[in-house]
Amino acid sequence: MIRRTILEWQRLPYGDGPDQIPAGAASGLAVAAAASSFAGRGGDGVLEHGRKSLRARGIVGVLATPDAQLEILPKIDAPGENDAASDTVLRHRLVHMLGVALNLRIDEAGIARLGLQSDSLLEILIRLFSTRLLNTVRNGMPRQYLARSDDLPALRGRLNTTRQFSVLATHPERLACDFDELSADIPLNQVMKATVTHLSRLARASDNQRILRELAFAYAGISNLTLAELNWDGITLDRTNQRWGDLLSLARLLLGGHYQKTSSGRTGGHALLFEMNLLFEEYVARLLKNALAGTELRVSTQGGHRSCLYDGDVGRFRTKPDIIIRRGSEIAMIIDTKWKRMTPRIDDPKQGVSQGDVYQLMAYSQLYGCQQTMLLYPHHTGLGDEPENRGYSIAEQDSPNTLTLSTIDVTAPAVSCAQALRRLVGTRLLSTASL
């Protein structure tokens, strides 16, 4: 199989060289990309299928066909990093962001142990899921009592008199029984089996294949449902099965979740894709909720929904700020996250900030009566060692309404990143004693 790795917004020219891809393989990958829900109307939302090259866009992850696999990694470099980070480091940083956004318990050492130099992002995620599932299954599968009905030679549970004297009227040797049976064939285990089955078709690493075969044997007695038949709403996590929470989140990730999509088409293509804008938003929101816990501030995402215009009593152009921070009933701050690379101030006084993004935050300030707004970007080595944190007055000098341009280092440990966000927000919204 042909395997290539590129970064977001990077081009991959056609050809037979190690840094190229054959045109036929590129066409197959483009078809798989176009089948994704991220493709958009023109079909090039994931990959631009040009005459001379493929070009990645702001979607990362893995595209695979029977003949080729293309891995698209995000540009995540650390402050002070002189050379470009290796593919292995970028994969681990992406897994770190996914772990935070999904609230998975993965420490830095655990991420480092997940992948080898030759592993793709897909193999790392398969290894994370399969090893955790195997360790958990060895301690026993969850079971629960399910209502059953059967015609038995001896009474079990309760006699169903209606069925007994109608359907079984001519078969007095059989008893119509309704009873509860302790079973492992429950929605949670069915989701786990569907994930194992799905990943068994995708795994290429020998250790992943071995673990998945062992898991397939362990789940042999569980119903084999299609992805559309899985009963996600029937899964309830409580104190008896709370240890399955991380695995359920990983299963959602690998089968299709909130900020990523999986798809398989008739061509045999497969896509496991993540929209970095939304992943960055979820990452920041999760850390902010943890950082501001115990304070008077509350964090919510994709809320608001106030309209810019009204046609009589009908609202038009409804808004959805990325992150809203409330103090009681007051909206204290609105944050819009942008997965873009800010330009150093020495190269551009506006630092590459889009005029449309500034207008959007000004509109939020007006619509929501919010004095504090922020555009938050990922930090990168081109900006220097210290994160950006620069405030601007909106509309006039010394205005109480401000727009702050800030960056956050997503390569830092989650605890450090949460502390940085608390300082970033807290200096504007919290008292000195609370910081």
Side-chain angles (χ1 to χ4, degrees):
M1 172 185 281
I2 299 168
R3 178 179 157 187
R4 298 290 184 267
T5 298
I6 58 175
L7 301 182
E8 53 183 338
W9 303 106
Q10 188 176 356
R11 292 187 181 275
L12 181 63
Y14 304 146
D16 297 322
D19 295 326
Q20 300 174 318
I21 188 166
S27 296
L29 290 169
V31 170
S36 166
S37 61
F38 292 135
R41 288 186 178 181
D44 60 355
V46 178
L47 282 180
E48 294 178 11
H49 189 199
R51 292 188 300 108
K52 298 182 179 180
S53 65
L54 290 176
R55 183 176 183 241
R57 295 178 64 85
I59 308 296
V60 302
V62 179
L63 291 163
T65 67
D67 303 320
Q69 183 183 98
L70 178 64
E71 181 183 40
I72 307 170
L73 297 176
K75 296 178 180 178
I76 308 176
D77 50 358
E81 203 166 54
N82 296 323
D83 299 324
S86 68
D87 292 346
T88 301
V89 171
L90 292 178
R91 289 184 196 107
H92 290 172
R93 289 173 180 171
L94 178 55
V95 172
H96 162 74
M97 289 187 69
L98 289 169
V100 170
L102 287 169
N103 200 26
L104 299 174
R105 290 164 293 180
I106 317 174
D107 57 25
E108 300 298 319
I111 293 175
R113 289 193 298 268
L114 282 173
L116 304 175
Q117 189 72 26
S118 59
D119 280 333
S120 69
L121 172 66
L122 181 59
E123 295 294 344
I124 291 174
L125 293 175
I126 291 174
R127 182 173 295 111
L128 174 61
F129 174 80
S130 59
T131 53
R132 284 196 172 189
L133 181 58
L134 184 61
N135 291 333
T136 306
V137 165
R138 284 172 175 167
N139 292 322
M141 284 188 191
R143 300 170 185 270
Q144 66 186 54
Y145 282 98
L146 301 178
R148 303 290 194 198
S149 296
D150 201 357
D151 302 329
L152 304 174
L155 181 63
R156 181 179 180 185
R158 300 170 299 280
L159 182 68
N160 186 321
T161 55
T162 301
R163 193 168 80 251
Q164 182 69 47
F165 294 111
S166 57
V167 177
L168 298 181
T170 59
H171 297 278
E173 76 282 2
R174 310 291 292 178
L175 297 177
C177 301
D178 292 337
F179 56 93
D180 294 332
E181 182 178 58
L182 187 63
S183 174
D185 196 11
I186 59 176
L188 176 57
N189 290 333
Q190 291 163 359
V191 166
M192 294 300 129
K193 178 168 184 175
T195 310
V196 169
T197 302
H198 181 65
L199 298 181
S200 297
R201 296 192 292 265
L202 302 176
R204 296 291 179 268
S206 58
D207 60 331
N208 284 343
Q209 292 175 338
R210 175 184 55 79
I211 296 173
L212 289 168
R213 284 195 298 268
E214 187 172 344
L215 286 168
F217 179 78
Y219 281 92
I222 305 300
S223 297
N224 193 19
L225 304 182
T226 66
L227 302 187
E229 294 172 331
L230 295 177
N231 181 16
W232 295 92
D233 294 335
I235 300 174
T236 301
L237 295 180
D238 54 32
R239 61 182 180 82
T240 65
N241 61 359
Q242 194 62 46
R243 60 196 173 99
W244 291 84
D246 281 6
L247 285 165
L248 188 61
S249 295
L250 281 168
R252 287 185 184 275
L253 175 74
L254 292 162
L255 295 179
H258 176 49
Y259 49 79
Q260 66 89 30
K261 300 292 180 185
T262 59
S263 61
S264 298
R266 294 178 181 177
T267 60
H270 175 80
L272 174 65
L273 300 172
F274 309 88
E275 184 178 3
M276 284 305 302
N277 275 319
L278 191 49
L279 177 57
F280 182 49
E281 176 193 328
E282 295 274 1
Y283 174 83
V284 170
R286 176 73 66 176
L287 289 178
L288 260 178
K289 288 177 182 178
N290 294 338
L292 298 178
T295 72
E296 59 184 347
L297 303 176
R298 294 181 295 108
V299 178
S300 60
T301 58
Q302 293 292 333
H305 303 297
R306 296 184 185 178
S307 298
C308 292
L309 303 176
Y310 277 87
D311 182 6
D313 59 351
V314 179
R316 307 289 188 191
F317 304 102
R318 196 164 69 163
T319 59
K320 289 197 304 181
D322 291 344
I323 298 172
I324 296 177
I325 301 178
R326 289 182 169 87
R327 183 191 289 111
S329 59
E330 169 201 5
I331 294 181
M333 179 179 281
I334 291 176
I335 301 175
D336 248 30
T337 56
K338 303 294 180 183
W339 185 257
K340 301 176 182 176
R341 293 172 74 85
M342 287 183 68
T343 305
R345 201 172 300 138
I346 193 172
D347 297 331
D348 178 8
K350 297 181 180 179
Q351 296 191 265
V353 176
S354 163
Q355 192 162 329
D357 291 341
V358 173
Y359 288 168
Q360 183 181 44
L361 267 293
M362 290 175 65
Y364 288 164
S365 177
Q366 173 71 23
L367 285 171
Y368 292 87
C370 178
Q371 293 186 343
Q372 300 281 347
T373 58
M374 179 182 292
L375 283 170
L376 185 61
Y377 297 81
H379 196 75
H380 61 88
T381 187
L383 297 174
D385 293 342
E386 294 299 321
E388 294 284 326
N389 187 19
R390 187 177 180 87
Y392 295 85
S393 298
I394 295 178
E396 59 186 5
Q397 293 181 1
D398 301 321
S399 168
N401 298 328
T402 61
L403 169 61
T404 305
L405 300 181
S406 302
T407 60
I408 192 75
D409 177 18
V410 298
T411 68
V415 173
S416 300
C417 197
Q419 291 172 347
L421 285 169
R422 182 184 174 98
R423 289 192 297 270
L424 196 62
V425 172
T427 52
R428 291 163 175 78
L429 302 181
L430 292 173
S431 65
T432 305
S434 301
L435 286 175

